[in-house]
Amino acid sequence: MYRTHTCGELRQSDVGKKVTLAGWVQTTREFGPITFLDLRDRYGITQLNFGGAINARLKDEHLGREFVLQAQGTVIERSNKNPGLSTGEIEISIEDFKVLNKSAVPPFTIQDDTDGGDDLRMKYRYLDLRRNAVRKNLELRYAVGRAARNYLHGQGFMDIETPFLIKSTPEGARDFVVPSRMNPGEFYALPQSPQTFKQLLMVSGYDRYYQIVKCFRDEDLRADRQPEFTQIDCEMAFVEQEDILHMFEGMIKHIFREVKGIEITEKVERTTFDQAMWHYGNDKPDIRFALPIANLKTPASVYPIQRAKALKDDTSGILNAFQTGTGFPVFDDAETVVAIAAPGLSEYTRKQLDELTEWVKRPQIGMKGLAYIKCNADGTYKSSFDKFFPETELKKLAEYAGAKPGDLVLVLAGPEERTRKAMSELRLEVGNRQGLRKKDEFKLLWVLDFPLFEYSEEDNRWVARHHPFTAPKPEQISVMIDNDPTIPDPTAYLQHPYASVKANAYDMVLNGNEIGGGSIRIFQRELQEKMFAALGMSPEEALHKFGFLLGAFEYGAPPHGGIAFGFDRLCSIMGGSESIRDFIAFPKNNSGRDVMIDAPGTIDLKQLDELQIATKAPVK
Amino acid sequence: MYRTHTCGELRQSDVGKKVTLAGWVQTTREFGPITFLDLRDRYGITQLNFGGAINARLKDEHLGREFVLQAQGTVIERSNKNPGLSTGEIEISIEDFKVLNKSAVPPFTIQDDTDGGDDLRMKYRYLDLRRNAVRKNLELRYAVGRAARNYLHGQGFMDIETPFLIKSTPEGARDFVVPSRMNPGEFYALPQSPQTFKQLLMVSGYDRYYQIVKCFRDEDLRADRQPEFTQIDCEMAFVEQEDILHMFEGMIKHIFREVKGIEITEKVERTTFDQAMWHYGNDKPDIRFALPIANLKTPASVYPIQRAKALKDDTSGILNAFQTGTGFPVFDDAETVVAIAAPGLSEYTRKQLDELTEWVKRPQIGMKGLAYIKCNADGTYKSSFDKFFPETELKKLAEYAGAKPGDLVLVLAGPEERTRKAMSELRLEVGNRQGLRKKDEFKLLWVLDFPLFEYSEEDNRWVARHHPFTAPKPEQISVMIDNDPTIPDPTAYLQHPYASVKANAYDMVLNGNEIGGGSIRIFQRELQEKMFAALGMSPEEALHKFGFLLGAFEYGAPPHGGIAFGFDRLCSIMGGSESIRDFIAFPKNNSGRDVMIDAPGTIDLKQLDELQIATKAPVK
């Protein structure tokens, strides 16, 4: 061993000990005949004191930053202690040393606030990983993984590895494929998730399975997606939805307790997909702050239950006014009118309001404008649509939106889907501006009762919202079995019985991010076949792609369900970061490249020939 | 939850409890008005007692094997207890039940001695996994993995994930490649191991890294190889070889203690590569039994130290006789003559001896014949080469081989490499025949000081025996730096200074199987470049393939080393099995196929087009 102690270990009580340390040169400071050298490793920094002849020797070596040094000496008490450093009470009076390796001048400095831009840091990722900030992220990641494993072990789960070289079943995202040399013309696919394998394990009787496992999706990478990512993948047999919610609520609480020392005592809040959309315009609402949407006008076809209740409950008559006509064409012509009451923003200036209007008009949001009501502190109201709404009506509207004096009511009007989405974004933006989204506050939420299907206009068929293995609510199984999934009239797809089937599916949301999602699965062959048919697969196609699963369902498949957590995402949110990249040791960039190792790359013609494939890409 | 207890949980103390169980029907036995049903899950079997009306209802359901059943009732004491079953003291008097799913008649019975052949069991792997024998293997695997993690965690190791989509660097085995859609004409490779990434992590200061990780090799599959396999992959910085041996000896001992309750107190034995080859003809000798090779005649060029010592130590003169000529042409014409003393086999019949002779003449062994000396119990000697050896010489030879009265000395003669290998095989065969290789005995061994290089006749260059990142012995670094690696005279390659360079490399051997291997790594750019040159890489090629690593070595790379354990192999040996397949949930067959899911398979033309590749394989 090149060292007796790490650079984060020695204390006052070690004074007098002969020690050997090894690490990287962080800084050197010369004070006449003495040189102080801060030696760094992943455990901390220890000050080395070079005096006399040894200092002369040190100077001869011309040590720079990041040189690797081994040094021996005696622990002594420091004259001026550094309380900011865990080793700050001592230093090492150096008696001998050896340069283990030199270092060129790093392209950026290894410190918390580095001068390296993103591109440089990615190219020299091995240096970036030396920085405290990145190291803490990876340590957090390790701690989260370990806490998850320990919890699941305690609950009787078994880690079982599933294969990486599987079969391509293009359903959902695009597969990465791997040409098979031993089976020319054939390809493996890398798994998008171990979904079917974990279901087979349930059929096999391994009633509590988990795996922390890499998954692969060949998608066009959005800002914060990676072609390879990691899931905490779990499945249980002989369970109902409630059992799974309970089990994994427990897991997340355990992780927070072990990793961050945060005790979440209350039960995780729950909402349904419809309620989440109605109140927040979003199926993964950030509930660290309230600011619910006031639904002033909505089409009768969407969220009919919520709409009917709102109309029934409203005593102010304001909703009724929006249905029958307000006299303001922007509202009257719109399919949907929604509002939120931004707390304490009534003093917003003209300029600020203009700027917020521009914000909602950006193509990403896509609204035509923003209406507002200032609820002044003196109880008066001032609005961008004063002309069409008398102050009494403004007051009613503001009160319906939950505004108090001092608040600013923001109103959006337009087509249902876009307007609701825009209002969700605006709500988050107000949350950001008002500091309501605190990094160190963690709010969990279960979102339940997702629709089982989405409608594909392009193919006039159903698409699985979660995946094709998700079970409908038990009481709706017969709706699927008893009805033909084909859609005779595309314009009336909402009237098809399948449109209203809800899934036994659930998402866990943390601070507005989906960190986990899962479902109770179909375990009956007949129902699974009906599902494949609904997704437009012929019986032959279903058999070709998923024959093994349909077959397995013939031999005593138990009821089962599961969940998968996005490990990268969970870590990044727990670490208070927006970016998952900061929590992956060797991430890829937005073109799917690893710029450090320069991958992907060309391969030898010999390799291509062995695989019996040819590339049709233009030669570079 | 569909159950209150598992099928392995209830005991005498639970008598009187109302319980609900769920599981698979193992067997039903009718006794007049009562039916006994054994319900099975992965935890055990519980006997259900159906009487009266509930028995009539049961009969109406026509339950078969592997039906999934949920049943409620009261725990009662059994009249005839089954001490062979953990739940054998009780049974459940059933009050209500529900068939959760039916089962077709399984293609083989789910019991310890199944009637399913290998092919059937692989196709219906999800049913095979229900068998106790397979379940126990996977449970052992989980326990081994968990014990490894816990040990490494306790030693300050961090689990850090490395990427799966990396760069193809054809050195060693063949890579699996993955065409990149976003970078047409370019390919990722799946890692054969995380080697370079774990070394980069050392450069980054993560001085104790581990991962239990899938690796991939596109090799022609021998009997017990898998295209994807799992490693316990570890690396440490600021260590010397001794530190690594100590650390991982500790890990294996911890695993044996935790998983099998076996306390290995003695230090793991050590030998060198040369000694292992000299004494056992094998660099992974099974030392559960002694039976060392007696080297009667060997060429001067191989194992010169061992040879010189043997000649010096021999007082009998027998070795000298073999050098100068025994008069027996088979020995005199041979490059190498080696013998072992098979204990207690002197009574072997003519037939048995003929059969053993045929065994060594098989193409896999490739010898021309087998000579023997029977050391009779009465002190006389009888040999197949009596004619050329007087009894006094036979006695000397037998004694030199370590034979006692009652033993059988087996002698092989021929070219060095083949003969030594054949003797190693023969030694193992004798061990098998004599029951010296006990499944429940575990003997560990470190093999050290491997040659750094092997010679490639085909390319007249050096090949890395371990891999190109392995460091030579510290005192031999200068041999590499100071000498040109090119080999001017192929016939004299053994005289090249590189031929005698030993590596700081080590293998851990368990019962004759390499379960782990590793090395101290090169961490100096100059030495790494010299290594790449020795392997026939031009500086440009080295930079293109491994520029990131050479670059990393410029910025303060610490001394480091590591090891990787073959997880599948370790589990199979600990489980007393020859086959790693039995310890993998979803293995592939010898053609690299998963016959259950039928992978690999063809993919859509659309997928190929998106990837800008074409297959040249003949259409099927």
Side-chain angles (χ1 to χ4, degrees):
Chain A
M1 201 73 90
Y2 283 80
R3 64 188 177 200
T4 56
H5 296 78
T6 70
C7 296
E9 201 174 347
L10 294 167
R11 299 285 183 276
Q12 179 91 45
S13 57
D14 296 305
V15 166
K17 278 188 190 159
K18 292 267 178 198
V19 299
T20 305
L21 300 188
W24 287 264
V25 175
Q26 180 75 19
T27 53
T28 50
R29 296 180 305 282
E30 296 186 14
F31 287 99
I34 295 178
T35 300
F36 292 107
L37 187 154
D38 278 354
L39 195 69
R40 188 197 73 229
D41 65 15
R42 78 159 154 122
Y43 308 93
I45 282 179
T46 301
Q47 180 165 297
L48 311 185
N49 178 330
F50 292 77
I54 202 87
N55 193 29
R57 245 188 75 202
L58 183 74
K59 287 184 179 181
D60 288 345
E61 295 277 2
H62 299 291
L63 258 61
R65 278 178 182 260
E66 303 306 320
F67 272 51
V68 187
L69 193 72
Q70 183 187 34
Q72 277 173 277
T74 306
V75 183
I76 56 173
E77 190 173 349
R78 266 209 219 184
S79 49
N80 59 335
K81 299 193 167 53
N82 181 349
L85 215 59
S86 63
T87 62
E89 294 187 317
I90 57 95
E91 62 188 14
I92 318 295
S93 173
I94 297 304
E95 287 137 28
D96 196 7
F97 74 92
K98 189 179 168 190
V99 176
L100 297 175
N101 215 342
K102 296 183 178 191
S103 175
V105 176
F108 52 86
T109 51
I110 313 297
Q111 55 193 30
D112 289 6
D113 291 312
T114 180
D115 48 359
D118 252 16
D119 290 349
L120 208 56
R121 288 176 45 211
M122 289 284 273
K123 181 164 163 52
Y124 295 93
R125 183 64 173 174
Y126 47 84
L127 296 181
D128 198 30
L129 286 170
R130 284 189 192 161
R131 293 171 54 235
N132 271 327
V134 184
R135 180 178 50 74
K136 278 183 184 152
N137 291 347
L138 293 191
E139 285 173 352
L140 178 110
R141 185 182 177 106
Y142 175 48
V144 171
R146 189 165 163 80
R149 286 183 191 281
N150 284 344
Y151 176 82
L152 293 168
H153 179 78
Q155 298 291 334
F157 283 76
M158 259 176 85
D159 179 357
I160 302 175
E161 291 169 66
T162 52
F164 278 73
L165 296 172
I166 63 167
K167 188 158 85 166
S168 187
T169 52
E171 181 67 33
R174 210 182 277 110
D175 284 325
F176 280 105
V177 298
V178 182
S180 167
R181 182 181 54 86
M182 292 175 78
N183 304 275
E186 298 194 327
F187 293 77
Y188 300 100
L190 299 179
Q192 297 184 25
S193 88
Q195 183 62 34
T196 50
F197 288 97
K198 67 176 174 172
Q199 291 191 244
L200 291 178
L201 286 173
M202 295 305 109
V203 175
S204 300
Y206 297 79
D207 55 0
R208 294 187 171 198
Y209 144 94
Y210 86 95
Q211 208 183 171
I212 300 185
V213 63
K214 273 280 173 80
C215 301
F216 304 86
R217 276 181 208 171
D218 184 13
E219 286 175 330
D220 297 315
L221 301 177
R222 277 183 269 146
D224 208 26
R225 285 276 184 101
Q226 289 280 317
E228 50 176 307
F229 55 97
T230 306
Q231 283 188 353
I232 306 176
D233 191 53
C234 308
E235 196 80 4
M236 301 172 77
F238 299 117
V239 289
E240 293 158 305
Q241 175 169 300
E242 193 58 37
D243 303 312
I244 295 196
L245 301 187
H246 180 75
M247 179 64 74
F248 292 97
E249 209 166 302
M251 185 180 88
I252 289 292
K253 287 178 178 179
H254 177 84
I255 291 173
F256 268 99
R257 188 184 310 122
E258 293 294 309
V259 177
K260 301 204 61 102
I262 295 174
E263 192 75 48
I264 304 174
T265 47
E266 72 273 23
K267 223 168 132 47
V268 170
E269 282 185 45
R270 298 178 181 195
T271 189
T272 65
F273 172 81
D274 283 352
Q275 290 284 359
M277 291 303 291
W278 182 255
H279 287 310
Y280 303 107
N282 197 320
D283 63 358
K284 41 179 198 284
D286 185 346
I287 59 164
R288 279 176 293 183
F289 62 107
L291 214 61
I293 296 174
N295 287 276
L296 299 166
K297 186 180 173 189
T298 53
S301 60
V302 296
Y303 318 115
I305 296 165
Q306 286 73 18
R307 183 177 185 271
K309 186 173 185 304
L311 283 166
K312 185 164 160 271
D313 289 353
D314 177 38
T315 52
S316 72
I318 188 75
L319 292 196
N320 202 44
F322 269 85
Q323 315 308 310
T324 52
T326 62
F328 180 29
V330 170
F331 292 168
D332 292 349
D333 297 348
E335 193 179 28
T336 291
V337 183
V338 282
I340 53 169
L345 292 193
S346 73
E347 304 286 329
Y348 252 32
T349 61
R350 176 90 243 158
K351 202 178 148 216
Q352 285 174 305
L353 287 165
D354 284 351
E355 195 252 327
L356 208 54
T357 305
E358 287 313 307
W359 191 91
V360 302
K361 286 165 85 173
R362 291 177 315 148
Q364 300 97 302
I365 306 294
M367 298 307 294
K368 290 209 174 131
L370 175 68
Y372 64 85
I373 308 171
K374 285 184 168 182
C375 308
N376 297 319
D378 62 4
T380 61
Y381 295 86
K382 181 97 196 67
S383 167
S384 62
F385 47 94
D386 279 355
K387 236 199 302 187
F388 302 96
F389 270 61
E391 195 161 359
T392 52
E393 287 300 302
L394 288 178
K395 183 167 187 283
K396 272 194 208 166
L397 198 166
E399 280 175 354
Y400 189 78
K404 298 180 300 298
D407 293 351
L408 175 69
V409 177
L410 298 167
V411 191
L412 292 175
E416 162 63 23
E417 206 172 320
R418 186 194 306 163
T419 307
R420 189 166 297 279
K421 191 164 180 303
M423 185 48 92
S424 166
E425 295 294 330
L426 183 59
R427 175 180 172 270
L428 294 176
E429 174 67 16
V430 169
N432 284 335
R433 288 181 183 215
Q434 296 296 89
L436 302 172
R437 308 181 72 188
K438 299 190 189 76
K439 273 193 181 178
D440 55 354
E441 188 184 351
F442 298 98
K443 284 289 267 185
L444 291 160
L445 175 72
W446 282 115
V447 180
L448 309 173
D449 299 351
F450 282 85
L452 184 60
F453 295 106
E454 284 174 347
Y455 176 68
S456 162
E457 212 171 278
E458 196 182 335
D459 301 323
N460 187 40
R461 66 164 173 93
W462 303 107
V463 176
R465 191 184 163 91
H466 185 51
H467 58 48
F469 314 105
T470 298
K473 293 270 164 202
E475 63 275 16
Q476 287 181 301
I477 290 177
S478 59
V479 176
M480 282 185 66
I481 296 289
D482 298 343
N483 288 285
D484 185 333
T486 53
I487 303 155
D489 176 7
T491 64
Y493 77 89
L494 274 171
Q495 274 78 59
H496 191 287
Y498 276 38
S500 57
V501 175
K502 299 286 183 189
N504 253 335
Y506 30 80
D507 278 357
M508 187 179 263
V509 174
L510 174 58
N511 291 2
N513 297 276
E514 183 205 325
I515 55 165
S519 63
I520 297 297
R521 323 299 184 187
I522 296 169
F523 67 105
Q524 310 92 331
R525 177 165 182 152
E526 187 188 6
L527 185 59
Q528 187 67 66
E529 285 175 334
K530 200 85 185 186
M531 171 59 90
F532 288 142
L535 307 180
M537 270 188 234
S538 70
E540 297 71 36
E541 198 183 345
L543 216 54
H544 175 69
K545 287 180 177 168
F546 298 107
F548 60 96
L549 188 69
L550 294 171
F553 285 176
E554 299 237 357
Y555 295 103
H560 62 286
I563 193 165
F565 288 87
F567 188 44
D568 311 298
R569 172 75 54 211
L570 174 60
C571 292
S572 78
I573 301 171
M574 288 186 69
S577 167
E578 294 290 306
S579 163
I580 63 170
R581 249 188 238 178
D582 295 343
F583 292 78
I584 296 172
F586 299 102
K588 294 193 172 51
N589 73 8
N590 282 350
S591 321
R593 294 199 73 84
D594 181 328
V595 294
M596 179 187 69
I597 64 168
D598 194 21
T602 53
I603 61 174
D604 296 347
L605 206 58
K606 178 167 162 265
Q607 280 178 285
L608 290 173
D609 283 345
E610 280 187 332
L611 296 169
Q612 302 205 30
I613 59 170
T615 168
K616 299 192 286 183
V619 178
K620 285 180 192 178
Chain B
M1 201 73 90
Y2 283 79
R3 64 189 177 199
T4 57
H5 296 77
T6 71
C7 294
E9 199 175 348
L10 294 166
R11 298 286 181 279
Q12 179 92 45
S13 56
D14 297 305
V15 164
K17 280 189 188 158
K18 293 269 180 197
V19 299
T20 306
L21 300 187
W24 287 264
V25 175
Q26 180 75 18
T27 53
T28 52
R29 296 180 305 282
E30 295 187 13
F31 288 99
I34 294 179
T35 300
F36 293 107
L37 186 154
D38 279 354
L39 196 68
R40 188 198 71 231
D41 63 16
R42 77 160 156 124
Y43 308 93
I45 283 179
T46 300
Q47 180 165 293
L48 310 185
N49 178 330
F50 292 78
I54 203 87
N55 193 28
R57 243 189 76 202
L58 183 73
K59 287 183 178 183
D60 290 344
E61 295 276 3
H62 301 289
L63 258 61
R65 277 177 183 262
E66 303 305 320
F67 272 52
V68 187
L69 193 72
Q70 182 188 35
Q72 277 173 275
T74 306
V75 182
I76 57 173
E77 191 172 349
R78 268 209 219 184
S79 48
N80 60 335
K81 299 193 168 54
N82 180 349
L85 214 59
S86 63
T87 62
E89 295 188 317
I90 57 96
E91 61 187 17
I92 318 293
S93 173
I94 298 302
E95 287 137 28
D96 196 7
F97 73 92
K98 190 180 169 188
V99 176
L100 297 176
N101 216 341
K102 295 181 179 190
S103 175
V105 176
F108 51 87
T109 50
I110 313 297
Q111 55 194 27
D112 289 5
D113 291 312
T114 179
D115 50 357
D118 251 18
D119 289 350
L120 208 56
R121 287 174 46 211
M122 288 285 273
K123 181 165 161 54
Y124 296 93
R125 182 66 171 173
Y126 48 85
L127 296 180
D128 198 31
L129 287 170
R130 283 188 193 163
R131 292 171 55 235
N132 271 328
V134 185
R135 181 177 50 74
K136 279 182 185 154
N137 291 347
L138 293 191
E139 285 172 353
L140 178 107
R141 185 182 177 105
Y142 175 48
V144 171
R146 189 165 162 80
R149 287 183 190 282
N150 284 345
Y151 175 81
L152 293 168
H153 179 77
Q155 298 291 335
F157 283 76
M158 260 175 84
D159 179 356
I160 303 175
E161 291 169 67
T162 51
F164 279 72
L165 297 172
I166 64 167
K167 187 158 85 167
S168 187
T169 51
E171 181 67 32
R174 212 181 275 109
D175 284 324
F176 281 105
V177 298
V178 182
S180 167
R181 181 181 54 85
M182 292 174 79
N183 304 275
E186 299 193 326
F187 292 77
Y188 300 100
L190 299 179
Q192 296 185 26
S193 88
Q195 184 60 36
T196 49
F197 288 97
K198 67 176 174 174
Q199 291 192 245
L200 291 178
L201 287 173
M202 294 305 110
V203 175
S204 301
Y206 297 79
D207 54 1
R208 295 187 169 197
Y209 144 94
Y210 87 96
Q211 208 181 171
I212 300 185
V213 63
K214 274 280 174 77
C215 301
F216 305 85
R217 276 182 208 171
D218 185 12
E219 287 175 329
D220 297 316
L221 301 178
R222 277 183 270 148
D224 207 26
R225 286 276 184 101
Q226 289 281 317
E228 49 176 309
F229 56 97
T230 306
Q231 285 188 351
I232 307 176
D233 191 52
C234 308
E235 196 81 3
M236 302 172 75
F238 299 116
V239 289
E240 291 158 305
Q241 175 169 299
E242 193 56 40
D243 304 312
I244 294 195
L245 301 188
H246 180 77
M247 179 64 73
F248 292 97
E249 210 167 299
M251 185 179 88
I252 290 292
K253 288 179 177 178
H254 178 85
I255 290 172
F256 268 99
R257 189 184 309 124
E258 293 293 308
V259 176
K260 299 203 64 100
I262 295 175
E263 192 74 48
I264 303 174
T265 47
E266 72 274 23
K267 223 167 130 52
V268 170
E269 281 185 44
R270 297 178 181 196
T271 190
T272 64
F273 171 81
D274 283 351
Q275 290 284 357
M277 291 303 292
W278 183 256
H279 287 309
Y280 303 107
N282 197 320
D283 63 358
K284 42 179 200 281
D286 185 348
I287 59 163
R288 278 175 295 182
F289 61 108
L291 215 60
I293 297 175
N295 287 276
L296 299 166
K297 185 180 173 190
T298 52
S301 61
V302 294
Y303 319 115
I305 296 165
Q306 287 73 18
R307 184 176 183 272
K309 186 173 185 304
L311 283 166
K312 185 165 160 268
D313 289 352
D314 177 37
T315 52
S316 71
I318 188 75
L319 291 196
N320 202 43
F322 269 84
Q323 314 309 308
T324 53
T326 62
F328 180 29
V330 170
F331 291 169
D332 292 349
D333 298 348
E335 192 178 29
T336 291
V337 183
V338 282
I340 54 170
L345 291 193
S346 72
E347 305 285 330
Y348 253 32
T349 61
R350 175 91 242 156
K351 203 178 146 212
Q352 284 173 306
L353 285 164
D354 284 351
E355 195 250 328
L356 209 55
T357 305
E358 287 312 306
W359 191 90
V360 303
K361 286 165 85 173
R362 292 177 314 147
Q364 301 95 302
I365 307 293
M367 297 308 294
K368 291 207 172 131
L370 175 68
Y372 63 86
I373 307 170
K374 284 185 170 181
C375 309
N376 298 319
D378 61 5
T380 62
Y381 295 86
K382 180 99 195 65
S383 167
S384 60
F385 48 96
D386 278 354
K387 237 197 303 183
F388 302 95
F389 270 63
E391 195 161 0
T392 51
E393 287 300 300
L394 289 178
K395 183 168 187 280
K396 271 192 206 165
L397 198 166
E399 280 175 354
Y400 189 78
K404 296 179 302 296
D407 293 352
L408 176 69
V409 177
L410 299 167
V411 189
L412 292 175
E416 160 64 23
E417 206 172 322
R418 188 195 305 162
T419 307
R420 189 166 296 279
K421 191 164 182 301
M423 186 49 91
S424 165
E425 295 294 328
L426 183 59
R427 175 180 172 269
L428 294 175
E429 176 65 16
V430 169
N432 284 336
R433 289 181 181 215
Q434 297 296 89
L436 303 172
R437 307 182 71 188
K438 300 192 188 77
K439 272 194 183 179
D440 55 354
E441 188 187 350
F442 297 97
K443 284 288 267 185
L444 291 160
L445 174 72
W446 282 116
V447 181
L448 308 174
D449 299 351
F450 282 85
L452 184 61
F453 295 106
E454 285 174 345
Y455 175 68
S456 164
E457 211 171 281
E458 196 182 334
D459 302 323
N460 186 40
R461 65 163 173 95
W462 304 107
V463 176
R465 192 184 162 92
H466 185 53
H467 58 47
F469 313 106
T470 298
K473 294 271 164 202
E475 62 276 17
Q476 287 181 301
I477 290 177
S478 59
V479 175
M480 284 186 63
I481 295 289
D482 298 344
N483 288 286
D484 187 332
T486 53
I487 303 157
D489 176 6
T491 64
Y493 77 90
L494 275 173
Q495 274 78 60
H496 191 286
Y498 277 38
S500 57
V501 175
K502 299 285 183 190
N504 253 334
Y506 30 81
D507 277 358
M508 187 180 262
V509 174
L510 174 58
N511 290 2
N513 297 276
E514 182 206 324
I515 56 165
S519 62
I520 298 297
R521 323 299 185 187
I522 296 169
F523 68 104
Q524 309 92 330
R525 178 166 183 152
E526 187 187 8
L527 185 59
Q528 187 65 66
E529 284 174 334
K530 200 85 184 186
M531 171 59 89
F532 288 141
L535 307 179
M537 270 188 233
S538 69
E540 297 70 36
E541 199 183 346
L543 215 55
H544 175 68
K545 286 180 178 167
F546 298 108
F548 60 96
L549 189 69
L550 294 171
F553 284 177
E554 299 237 357
Y555 295 104
H560 62 286
I563 194 166
F565 288 86
F567 188 45
D568 311 297
R569 173 74 54 209
L570 174 62
C571 293
S572 78
I573 301 171
M574 288 185 70
S577 167
E578 293 290 306
S579 163
I580 62 170
R581 249 187 238 177
D582 295 343
F583 292 78
I584 296 172
F586 299 102
K588 294 193 172 52
N589 74 9
N590 282 350
S591 321
R593 294 200 71 84
D594 182 327
V595 295
M596 178 188 68
I597 64 168
D598 194 22
T602 52
I603 60 174
D604 296 347
L605 207 59
K606 180 168 160 263
Q607 280 177 285
L608 290 174
D609 284 345
E610 280 186 333
L611 296 170
Q612 302 205 30
I613 59 170
T615 167
K616 299 191 287 182
V619 178
K620 288 181 189 177

